[in-house]
Amino acid sequence: QISPRQKTKMISLFDEISKRELPSIIDQIQSRNKLKRKIDELFLEVIGVDSKQRAVTIEKLYDVLTERILAMKETMSKD
């Protein structure tokens, strides 16, 4: 269950996001976009990932996602 503090953080983050235009998801991941990172950190907090583990998890996730997305783009461009 989402705590009142987490709910407040989510609403605040939504307000911040709604006022900005974000680059594509791959650009956000590759550039380690600060706003994208805030979203991911909050999501990991909500699902119960320990605060010490969040940064490591996000970096690993971004690396894997970048690798996979670029591989998919390469495969698609061959056709």
Side-chain angles (χ1 to χ4, degrees):
Q1 187 169 352
I2 298 173
S3 72
R5 184 182 66 77
Q6 289 170 328
K7 185 176 181 180
T8 300
K9 286 173 73 174
M10 290 173 82
I11 292 168
S12 175
L13 185 56
F14 176 79
D15 288 341
E16 183 179 353
I17 293 167
S18 68
K19 297 172 187 167
R20 297 194 181 174
E21 190 170 321
L22 293 171
S24 71
I25 191 73
I26 186 66
D27 289 341
Q28 291 177 53
I29 292 168
Q30 286 179 317
S31 69
R32 305 306 203 248
N33 181 280
K34 290 179 183 180
L35 198 51
K36 169 79 173 119
R37 190 174 188 98
K38 278 182 163 180
I39 295 166
D40 294 339
E41 286 177 357
L42 182 55
F43 176 76
L44 291 174
E45 177 185 332
V46 168
I47 65 170
V49 176
D50 180 81
S51 61
K52 294 177 184 176
Q53 196 61 32
R54 283 183 218 140
V56 174
T57 301
I58 288 172
E59 285 304 314
K60 287 181 181 179
L61 180 62
Y62 287 2
D63 288 343
V64 169
L65 286 172
T66 299
E67 181 182 308
R68 299 278 168 91
I69 291 169
L70 292 175
M72 286 177 17
K73 284 175 75 173
E74 185 178 322
T75 300
M76 290 170 51
S77 69
K78 289 180 181 178
D79 293 335

